């Protein structure tokens, strides 16, 4: 029995219908809706400007009772204020009419608001007592409740104001701590990544429609054989495009979460001193006693606009001390997980013959490298510390010999004691971190989420199913295209979004 060509379309239609009538979505009514509009959900409110004393605090309200709250608390007895126009009003308790504060109010009638619903904002003074009084006044009104984390953005998503990738971009923008993170998040929030995935989805929909039409109607000679050849080309091209998108070396994810940089090396090489120099504070204890650092010390840095999670580790050596051995194990584990390892070497301990230094440094590298790893020089920087303890003539010979040797990662000569060479080292470090993250504004938009990667990998596997069964069982081949479409839909939120929504929105702050 041949599968119907309408099966996939009907499944999508049913799922979309379920989404449209889910409890939160039913609240998307506006002041212009007539009788019978789906307006039974509660109106939500929250402080959107963050907690703590400040000059101005913003309280946001969204839902069908927003207009009533504005009338009661801002004294509008008849008509509402002009949309998107700030007015200075006395903000009053809705029951006692006591003036709580004087501030600006704004009215955003749906659907022309962030959430797509009727919304209002109260811009009030940022003292804790004022904020508490206004929130208490809003909560005392019927059909109003405090918003849950991310609920405003969730309603915007359900109203079609934001796609799921745009929502994730907004979340990343809120949490961005560096300039490069801001740029990447803003680009994703603008919809570039969502448009790319939606374009792929549209191509797969056409492929699926053609395959299922061929299954249903080819025996009636209504569909020509060449239609499948066109699908073959489209699937092959799309699979190549997605695989190329996946070959990004995780730059976007790395930029989003931070580049993991580990400081490793032998005891007393100056690892903790380097950490303190980079973060410009005494983050780690520095001592002439070997083995002072026994656990991993972490700190977050902004290196030229790129986020870095810097870890200082225990000195690598054999030890009978159980605590130190555990520290060494953790240090090696961090090196294995690191995006970049700074291998710190004591310059005073290098061979006096400069020609033997490159071989000695290679031995240091072999000691630090995880045994199962193929050496990748882009993941390492050699930092020769304590150059203040060697003569100028020896240092010059060392630099000359290292320039002529090509089998090592980039080498930087520094002194944490005198800060000599530190600026050059920072320049090299910034260039390396930038290469690991890429330029967030150039080329195609980057993959930023692990879940995107997982769904795209499933999509590629499903397209392989189409190609595998193309000449064996066309119904199974069509199912491969349908599964690929579903995988893309899980990224954009168009198909099967419910199980991932809570994970995404729980990371938002209250009031966003």
């Amino acid at each position: 029995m041949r599968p119907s060509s309408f099966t996939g379309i009907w499944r999508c239609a049913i799922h979309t219908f379920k989404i449209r009538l889910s409890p939160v979505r039913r609240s998307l009514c506006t002041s212009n809706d007539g009788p019978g509009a789906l307006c039974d959900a509660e109106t939500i409110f929250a402080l959107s400007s963050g907690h703590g004393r400040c000059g101005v605090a913003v309280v946001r309200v969204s839902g069908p009772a927003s207009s009533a709250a504005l009338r009661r608390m801002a004294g509008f007895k008849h008509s509402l204020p002009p949309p998107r126009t700030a007015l200075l009003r006395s903000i009053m308790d809705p029951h006692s009419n006591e003036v709580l504060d004087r501030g600006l109010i704004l009215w955003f009638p749906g659907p022309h608001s962030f959430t797509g619903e009727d919304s209002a904002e109260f811009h009030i003074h940022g003292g804790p007592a004022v904020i508490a009084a206004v929130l208490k006044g809003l909560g005392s009104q019927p059909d109003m409740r405090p918003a849950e984390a991310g609920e405003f953005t969730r309603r915007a998503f359900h109203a079609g104001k934001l796609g799921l990738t745009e929502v994730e971009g907004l979340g990343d923008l809120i949490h961005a701590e560096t300039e490069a993170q801001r740029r990447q998040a803003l680009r994703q929030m603008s919809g570039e990544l969502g448009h790319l995935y939606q374009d792929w989805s549209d191509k797969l929909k056409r492929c699926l429609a053609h395959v299922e039409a061929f299954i249903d109607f080819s025996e009636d000679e209504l569909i020509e054989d060449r239609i499948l050849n066109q699908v073959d080309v489209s699937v092959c091209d799309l699979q190549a495009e997605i695989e190329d998108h996946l070959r990004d070396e995780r730059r976007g994810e790395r930029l989003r979460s931070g580049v993991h940089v580990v400081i490793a090396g032998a005891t007393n090489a100056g690892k903790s001193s380097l950490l303190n120099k980079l973060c410009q504070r005494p983050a780690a204890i520095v001592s002439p006693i070997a083995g002072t650092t026994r656990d991993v010390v972490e700190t977050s840095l902004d290196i030229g606009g790129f986020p870095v999670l810097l870890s200082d580790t225990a000195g690598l050596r054999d030890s009978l001390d159980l605590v130190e051995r555990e520290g060494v194990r953790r240090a090696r584990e961090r090196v294995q997980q690191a995006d970049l390892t700074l291998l710190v070497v004591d310059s005073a301990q290098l061979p006096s013959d400069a020609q033997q230094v490159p071989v000695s440094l290679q031995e240091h590298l072999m000691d630090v490298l995880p045994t199962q790893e193929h050496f990748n020089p882009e993941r390492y920087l050699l930092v020769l510390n304590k150059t203040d303890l060697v003569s100028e003539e020896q240092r010059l010979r060392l630099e000359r010999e290292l320039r002529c040797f090509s089998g090592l990662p980039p080498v930087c000569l520094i002194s944490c004691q005198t800060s000599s060479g530190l600026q050059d080292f920072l320049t090299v470090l910034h260039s390396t971190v930038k290469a690991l993250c890429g330029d967030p504004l150039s080329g195609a938009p980057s993959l930023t989420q692990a879940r995107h990667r997982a769904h795209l990998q499933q999509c590629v596997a499903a397209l392989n199913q189409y190609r595998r069964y193309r000449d064996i069982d066309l119904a199974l081949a069509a199912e491969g295209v349908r599964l690929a479409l579903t995988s893309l839909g899980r990224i954009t939120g168009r198909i099967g979004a419910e199980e991932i929504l809570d994970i995404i929105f729980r990371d938002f702050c209250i009031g966003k």
Side-chain angles (χ1 to χ4, degrees):
M1 181 177 179
R2 295 193 308 271
S4 167
S5 63
F6 296 101
T7 303
I9 299 173
W10 179 243
R11 286 177 183 169
C12 291
I14 290 174
H15 189 85
T16 303
F17 187 70
K18 287 180 180 178
I19 286 180
R20 294 299 182 195
L21 293 183
S22 67
V24 176
R25 290 170 178 81
R26 297 181 72 216
S27 71
L28 301 177
C29 62
T30 70
S31 57
N32 298 323
D33 292 328
L38 298 174
C39 300
D40 58 341
E42 294 170 306
T43 297
I44 57 174
F45 64 90
L47 176 67
S48 292
S49 54
H51 295 277
R53 289 179 175 83
C54 55
V56 177
V58 178
V59 176
R60 175 183 281 176
V61 184
S62 182
S66 297
S67 57
L70 202 57
R71 285 189 172 96
R72 293 190 189 106
M73 296 189 67
F76 293 100
K77 294 183 179 180
H78 303 294
S79 61
L80 290 166
R84 293 169 294 282
T85 301
L87 296 178
L88 179 64
R89 305 285 294 191
S90 293
I91 298 169
M92 299 173 290
D93 184 282
H95 302 291
S96 66
N97 287 331
E98 176 190 356
V99 175
L100 304 176
D101 192 20
R102 279 182 64 80
L104 298 176
I105 58 93
L106 291 100
W107 166 239
F108 302 94
H112 305 295
S113 67
F114 175 73
T115 60
E117 306 173 310
D118 285 348
S119 301
E121 289 183 1
F122 295 84
H123 294 221
I124 57 179
H125 292 99
V130 176
I131 294 170
V134 172
L135 293 177
K136 181 181 178 182
L138 288 168
S140 68
Q141 300 179 63
D143 299 322
M144 296 189 69
R145 62 168 176 81
E148 297 175 1
E151 191 169 359
F152 288 94
T153 307
R154 186 165 187 155
R155 291 190 177 194
F157 166 71
H158 290 322
K161 293 289 184 177
L162 295 172
L164 200 52
T165 55
E166 295 167 26
V167 167
E168 290 170 320
L170 176 58
D172 289 347
L173 186 63
I174 292 170
H175 293 101
E177 296 180 348
T178 71
E179 185 67 10
Q181 285 178 319
R182 179 193 65 79
R183 289 171 177 169
Q184 178 171 272
L186 198 59
R187 187 177 185 187
Q188 182 171 334
M189 196 184 77
S190 70
E192 279 194 58
L193 195 61
H195 293 155
L196 176 65
Y197 295 154
Q198 189 57 48
D199 179 59
W200 290 346
S201 293
D202 293 340
K203 290 177 180 177
L204 282 178
K205 288 174 188 175
R206 287 195 294 271
C207 290
L208 182 60
H210 290 162
V211 173
E212 294 193 331
F214 186 87
I215 292 173
D216 283 349
F217 304 118
S218 61
E219 292 182 3
D220 301 326
E221 298 184 353
L222 298 175
I223 302 292
E224 299 179 4
D225 289 345
R226 64 181 177 84
I227 198 72
L228 280 186
N229 296 331
Q230 295 174 1
V231 171
D232 293 344
V233 172
S234 296
V235 167
C236 186
D237 291 346
L238 184 57
Q239 182 174 343
E241 195 173 344
I242 295 174
E243 288 174 342
D244 184 62
H245 186 60
L246 286 168
R247 284 192 294 268
D248 65 340
E249 299 180 357
R250 301 182 183 272
R251 289 189 180 92
E253 295 166 74
R254 194 178 286 129
L255 175 55
R256 179 175 180 267
S257 60
V259 180
H260 289 257
V261 178
V262 171
I263 304 175
T267 56
N268 264 15
K271 300 183 299 299
S272 297
S273 296
L274 179 59
L275 174 80
N276 292 344
K277 279 290 184 181
L278 289 174
C279 63
Q280 298 180 347
R281 61 184 177 85
I285 297 173
V286 175
S287 159
I289 302 172
T292 301
T293 303
R294 296 192 170 196
D295 205 350
V296 178
V297 179
E298 289 186 340
T299 185
S300 296
L301 296 178
D302 180 341
I303 303 292
F306 292 90
V308 167
L309 181 62
L310 187 64
S311 301
D312 181 24
T313 59
L316 302 177
R317 67 172 179 177
D318 295 328
S319 174
L320 297 177
D321 188 304
L322 291 177
V323 176
E324 187 173 0
R325 283 165 60 185
E326 174 61 19
V328 172
R329 187 197 66 79
R330 294 187 182 188
R332 294 192 181 280
E333 184 179 61
R334 285 303 180 98
V335 170
Q336 188 171 355
Q337 299 168 348
D339 297 312
L340 177 66
T341 298
L342 307 180
L343 177 55
V344 183
V345 179
D346 185 348
S347 299
Q349 299 298 319
L350 291 172
S352 56
D353 184 355
Q355 292 182 345
Q356 297 179 17
V357 168
V359 176
S360 175
L361 291 176
Q362 284 183 321
E363 291 174 355
H364 277 286
L365 272 173
M366 292 304 106
D367 183 52
V368 172
L369 281 174
T371 55
Q372 71 274 23
E373 182 188 20
H374 176 69
F375 175 61
N376 179 3
E378 295 179 357
R379 289 188 54 192
Y380 294 87
L381 283 181
L382 280 168
V383 183
L384 307 190
N385 189 26
K386 302 186 181 181
T387 55
D388 56 296
L389 300 181
V390 300
S391 66
E392 181 68 15
E393 181 183 354
Q394 188 177 353
R395 187 180 64 81
L396 292 174
R397 284 203 306 268
L398 187 60
E399 288 180 342
R400 186 166 54 251
E401 190 64 34
L402 290 172
R403 277 197 299 268
C404 299
F405 194 84
S406 59
L408 291 172
V411 181
C412 299
L413 278 71
I414 70 167
S415 168
C416 289
Q417 181 69 30
T418 65
S419 297
S420 172
L422 201 60
Q423 193 57 50
D424 292 337
F425 164 70
L426 286 173
T427 301
V428 174
L429 178 60
H430 173 253
S431 300
T432 307
V433 169
K434 183 177 180 180
L436 288 169
C437 293
D439 186 350
L441 297 182
S442 66
S446 300
L447 268 169
T448 60
Q449 304 270 350
R451 75 172 196 92
H452 294 182
R453 186 175 300 278
H455 291 314
L456 288 174
Q457 289 169 341
Q458 292 168 7
C459 180
V460 169
L463 293 179
N464 278 327
Q465 176 179 324
Y466 169 82
R467 299 171 67 180
R468 186 166 60 251
Y469 289 103
R470 160 69 166 79
D471 297 320
I472 302 173
D473 188 329
L474 202 53
L476 284 176
E479 183 63 19
V481 179
R482 186 179 294 110
L483 290 173
L485 183 60
T486 300
S487 296
L488 283 177
R490 290 182 185 275
I491 299 177
T492 61
R494 300 296 178 90
I495 300 173
E498 285 299 322
E499 65 266 28
I500 57 176
L501 290 182
D502 289 336
I503 298 173
I504 293 170
F505 289 109
R506 75 184 179 194
D507 291 333
F508 276 79
C509 55
I510 300 294
K512 192 61 185 167

